[in-house]
Amino acid sequence: SQTIHQWPATLVQPVGSPLSLECTVEGTSNPNLYWYRQAAGRGLQLLFYSVGIGQISSEVPQNLSASRPQDRQFILSSKKLLLSDSGFYLCAWSVRGLDTGELFFGEGSRLTVL
Amino acid sequence: GQNIDQPTEMTATEGAIVQINCTYQTSGFNGLFWYQQHAGEAPTFLSYNVLDGLEEKGRFSSFLSRSKGYSYLLLKELQMKDSASYLCAVSDSNYQLIWGAGTKLIIKP
């Protein structure tokens, strides 16, 4: 069966510090991978998605970046965090080529920037 | 632009029935999803509709009318554990999901 894990689950970071969130998928190959952010009381905002190693599409211009060094690994990074980066970050995957586009989510990472 | 609308919050009584509506305007349509999200947790899949009509799955049912750009999620025999946010999402012409802000459902005993 397929599983997805992301970490850390919770982190508190000062403004201007770097960020690295990691996500790995197991039990499937060539998944589409996604990073979403969810602010309190808001819908899911797509940040990045990837259809393959080294292929990253950015949906929202900001101080965040993403990388996909391996087929089933997706990393969200920042060199200098802003207060507005606080939120609930979700990694997700979908089956490439599946018409429905159903997403499977990781456990989420709650980031508080102080 | 693309838009998904659903009520911000609803309250219902344990054992009752509640209907959560979702209207959408998107560039293309490749299906509509409902996800459940408990506070502090990731969303989990509930249902998928791509054709008009009602899909029933246990206590939960989902309805779609593509001509009206409308869907609803029907929850029967409500239980306290159904207290959660319910997210409506539409798969657009590029199979990207467009998300509503979610409906927070509060169940009272």
Side-chain angles (χ1 to χ4, degrees):
Chain A
S1 64
Q2 300 90 3
T3 58
I4 177 170
H5 298 291
Q6 62 177 104
W7 67 94
T10 307
L11 65 167
V12 180
Q13 296 284 105
V15 169
S17 64
L19 171 73
S20 180
L21 300 179
E22 295 194 31
C23 172
T24 59
V25 180
E26 297 178 358
T28 187
S29 297
N30 303 316
N32 293 327
L33 294 173
Y34 307 81
W35 277 111
Y36 281 90
R37 177 169 60 201
Q38 187 176 36
R42 304 281 297 276
L44 291 171
Q45 178 187 32
L46 179 62
L47 301 175
F48 301 94
Y49 70 93
S50 171
V51 298
I53 296 174
Q55 300 178 60
I56 310 293
S57 295
S58 174
E59 293 296 305
V60 183
Q62 54 204 324
N63 67 319
L64 299 173
S65 62
S67 62
R68 185 171 177 173
Q70 300 180 43
D71 181 47
R72 291 171 292 174
Q73 184 184 23
F74 207 23
I75 298 171
L76 181 69
S77 303
S78 175
K79 293 182 179 178
K80 289 186 178 182
L81 285 169
L82 306 174
L83 286 174
S84 57
D85 291 325
S86 293
F88 191 49
Y89 288 81
L90 289 158
C91 181
W93 72 275
S94 67
V95 177
R96 189 178 305 174
L98 183 64
D99 290 348
T100 65
E102 178 183 353
L103 293 177
F104 304 90
F105 289 91
E107 306 93 332
S109 299
R110 184 161 301 282
L111 170 65
T112 303
V113 182
L114 301 176
Chain B
Q2 308 203 90
N3 195 47
I4 311 285
D5 286 318
Q6 50 181 133
T8 303
E9 187 175 296
M10 299 182 70
T11 302
T13 304
E14 190 177 15
I17 299 174
V18 70
Q19 177 176 312
I20 303 174
N21 295 325
C22 172
T23 57
Y24 62 89
Q25 290 179 310
T26 57
S27 56
F29 180 84
N30 282 303
L32 185 144
F33 293 86
W34 284 98
Y35 281 78
Q36 180 189 60
Q37 185 178 25
H38 285 99
E41 299 181 9
T44 56
F45 171 81
L46 285 179
S47 68
Y48 171 71
N49 293 67
V50 67
L51 300 176
D52 290 352
L54 187 67
E55 295 278 345
E56 296 186 78
K57 189 185 297 184
R59 295 189 297 113
F60 293 5
S61 303
S62 56
F63 171 84
L64 174 67
S65 169
R66 288 171 297 173
S67 62
K68 295 181 180 179
Y70 168 71
S71 171
Y72 67 73
L73 180 69
L74 190 71
L75 292 73
K76 303 177 184 177
E77 301 171 16
L78 285 170
Q79 302 175 10
M80 297 303 294
K81 67 178 182 179
D82 297 329
S83 292
S85 288
Y86 292 85
L87 310 179
C88 175
V90 172
S91 179
D92 70 7
S93 57
N94 295 316
Y95 298 101
Q96 296 290 350
L97 291 188
I98 311 301
W99 295 85
T103 298
K104 182 179 180 180
L105 178 63
I106 300 169
I107 309 296
K108 295 185 175 181

